[in-house]
Amino acid sequence: MPIASFREILADAFEKRYGVGAFNIVNDLTLHAVLAAAEEARSPVIIQTSVKTVKEIGVGVLFGMWTEMTRGIAVPVCLHLDHCPDRTLISACLEKGWGSVLFDASSLPLEENRRQTIEVVAEAKRYGAGVEGEIEGIRGVEDGMGSDEASKQKTLTAALHFIEDTGVDCFAPAIGNAHGVYKQTPKLDVQRVSDIVSSHPIPIALHGGTGLTTEQFKDLIARGCAKVNISTDVKITYMQSSLAFLREAEAAGKWDPPALFKHVTKAVQEMVTSHFETFGSVGRAS
Ligand code: 13P
């Protein structure tokens, strides 16, 4: 089972209507914590890497970590490159062994996005990899990518033509979701997901997962959101659990880095497990 294809992982989730958590890891500790949570919960998982993380750690080192940490893993896992407008980095990751990429050409005119996405899909296919596509920017800057301006929703016909013409494996519509912390629970255009899926059955990627309610997750997953992205929650859990531990370390005058790593790993693992429960993916790998 171990390294599964993006298409396979999402096909099962889409068919059975559960969500596969796609967590943006930031280092070895978070990679380990997400994989450990997936193994313990017998849940499939997608490990997401932002362009910033890939550039900071390096394509080779990051892929080496992935290869070593997933050796012998018993649940379906896939390594995914999140929001990447850079074709050179996409090629480097595909060549190295990433299982899928989100080619983010949402800032290009639709026709140019379509043309280049067709090329990326053909390139990915040569490596047996998958592609997520988008035609509207998801609001919110994340790891230096994106914009705080809401992008104008394209017509349903435009979205369907894009999906059919490009052959992407997964589609990410803008439905009022946003990266980062929501100031209030957003009103989401859930009908958009149903409209796309009923005309063209394709796994939908739900971006901006941090801060959505359990009801919103369940409703969107039932409508076809098979990939559920979580990034901000990883960062907040990582930083806040570190802070709490360091405050106690300071008070006690005890400075033991491995104890800090263990504490943060446990916090990230618990956060991931609780998302698996909400997404209905627990036990799906048994
Ligand atoms: P959040 O940062 O809101 O969790 O969104 C993650 C995401 O959509 C990554 O592409």
Side-chain angles (χ1 to χ4, degrees):
M1 198 170 335
I3 314 284
S5 79
F6 186 62
R7 191 181 273 260
E8 274 164 24
I9 287 187
L10 293 183
D12 193 65
F14 186 66
E15 186 201 322
K16 298 176 183 158
R17 290 297 196 262
Y18 64 89
V20 178
F23 297 90
N24 290 66
I25 56 102
V26 294
N27 58 7
D28 55 342
L29 184 157
T30 45
L31 173 56
H32 168 73
V34 176
L35 293 174
E39 282 216 282
E40 199 178 282
R42 309 284 314 149
S43 169
V45 76
I46 293 171
I47 296 293
Q48 269 185 174
T49 55
S50 72
V51 168
K52 184 179 172 190
T53 299
V54 175
K55 287 189 171 162
E56 272 174 5
I57 300 178
V59 171
V61 174
L62 188 43
F63 194 71
M65 274 159 47
W66 161 258
T67 307
E68 288 305 320
M69 288 193 202
T70 55
R71 202 181 292 285
I73 195 160
V75 295
V77 291
C78 177
L79 182 62
H80 177 81
L81 176 65
D82 199 17
H83 292 284
C84 184
D86 176 356
R87 293 282 302 271
T88 307
L89 187 64
I90 285 190
S91 297
C93 288
L94 287 173
E95 199 179 319
K96 186 52 92 176
W98 261 248
S100 53
V101 297
L102 165 51
F103 175 48
D104 186 345
S106 56
S107 63
L108 297 179
L110 185 54
E111 179 46 35
E112 182 57 12
N113 180 350
R114 190 187 77 94
R115 190 188 70 74
Q116 289 203 37
T117 302
I118 290 171
E119 289 179 356
V120 172
V121 169
E123 184 182 358
K125 224 179 215 155
R126 292 205 294 276
Y127 298 97
V131 177
E132 179 181 337
E134 61 175 303
I135 58 173
E136 299 134 350
I138 309 289
R139 192 156 46 86
V141 178
E142 188 154 73
D143 289 346
M145 288 286 158
S147 156
D148 282 328
E149 296 298 312
S151 141
K152 196 169 173 302
Q153 208 179 51
K154 304 259 190 315
T155 64
L156 178 61
T157 311
L160 293 172
H161 279 159
F162 178 85
I163 292 166
E164 275 151 29
D165 293 351
T166 59
V168 288
D169 304 290
C170 176
F171 184 68
I175 54 169
N177 46 344
H179 296 132
V181 176
Y182 292 106
K183 290 194 183 75
Q184 59 204 39
T185 306
K187 272 188 113 66
L188 300 177
D189 181 2
V190 296
Q191 189 56 40
R192 173 83 160 177
V193 174
S194 299
D195 289 346
I196 294 170
V197 169
S198 65
S199 302
H200 188 117
I202 180 171
I204 301 293
L206 174 60
H207 283 251
T210 302
L212 298 185
T213 66
T214 300
E215 290 66 34
Q216 285 176 312
F217 280 128
K218 286 188 187 298
D219 178 31
L220 284 157
I221 290 167
R223 289 170 188 268
C225 287
K227 175 174 181 278
V228 187
N229 288 5
I230 304 286
S231 173
T232 302
D233 217 355
V234 176
K235 294 176 189 168
I236 291 177
T237 304
Y238 188 100
M239 298 300 282
Q240 289 189 349
S241 60
S242 300
L243 186 61
F245 184 91
L246 289 171
R247 282 197 172 125
E248 280 190 20
E250 185 175 42
K254 275 176 78 175
W255 303 104
D256 178 23
L260 166 66
F261 305 151
K262 208 166 153 193
H263 177 84
V264 178
T265 301
K266 185 165 174 283
V268 173
Q269 201 171 327
E270 283 170 2
M271 176 275 293
V272 170
T273 303
S274 114
H275 281 305
F276 286 151
E277 283 161 6
T278 306
F279 303 162
S281 66
V282 175
R284 300 286 184 170
S286 330

